[in-house]
Amino acid sequence: MLEREHARIKEALQGGTSGPASALLPIPAAHSHLFLINDALAHGRLLCFHGDRHLPGSRVLKGTFLGKAAKFPAGPFAVAAAHGVPVAISFVLRTGPLAYRLQANTTVPAGADTDTIFYRFLAELDTIVHDSPLPWLQYYDFWADDPSRSAGRS
């Protein structure tokens, strides 16, 4: 998650859980979060990444989304491939006021390469958006040349 999201999400998690079942790894401007990610994976921890939006200047992967070429962050897919860990492609969908559903249909086995993980993610994202367009709705322009122009950037 981005560093500016950290406090808000941490507060929400602490209010909805009974203990320290999770830890948040904010992504600062520098790349120090990579050490935290490596440490977490070395200790067998579960990591969750946003795979559907990228920051200006970050490495991207290009693929077709809803019929047009779009850019996605390379980081989540490259980290999983580099560490040889299994991937559970999952989505959180809004079902009502302050109500959400976690949906995880697809797993990618340990050892898959970056492209395999990325294209499985794209296929799942395309399916989830077609099946449930309103719960997924966000205002991020996947097709913009400059992601900072997106209305819903976070």
Side-chain angles (χ1 to χ4, degrees), residues 8-53:
R8 190 172 34 136
I9 294 174
K10 184 175 181 179
E11 181 181 314
L13 284 174
Q14 288 173 339
T17 61
S18 61
S22 61
L24 300 177
L25 303 177
I27 299 177
H31 296 289
S32 60
H33 62 285
L34 297 176
F35 297 108
L36 298 172
I37 289 169
N38 288 336
D39 185 60
L41 290 171
H43 287 91
R45 295 200 171 100
L46 173 71
L47 295 178
C48 300
F49 290 93
H50 290 285
D52 63 350
R53 64 200 80 165

Side-chain angles (χ1 to χ4, degrees), residues 51-56 60-63 65-73 125 136-154:
D52 63 350
R53 64 200 80 165
H54 66 92
L55 295 172
V60 296
L61 297 173
K62 296 176 185 176
F65 177 54
L66 297 177
K68 290 178 69 177
K71 296 176 185 175
F72 294 86
L125 180 61
W136 177 83
L137 181 65
Q138 60 172 305
Y139 299 98
Y140 183 82
D141 188 353
F142 291 92
W143 306 276
D145 290 329
D146 177 2
S148 66
R149 292 187 350 217
S150 297
R153 66 182 178 269
S154 53

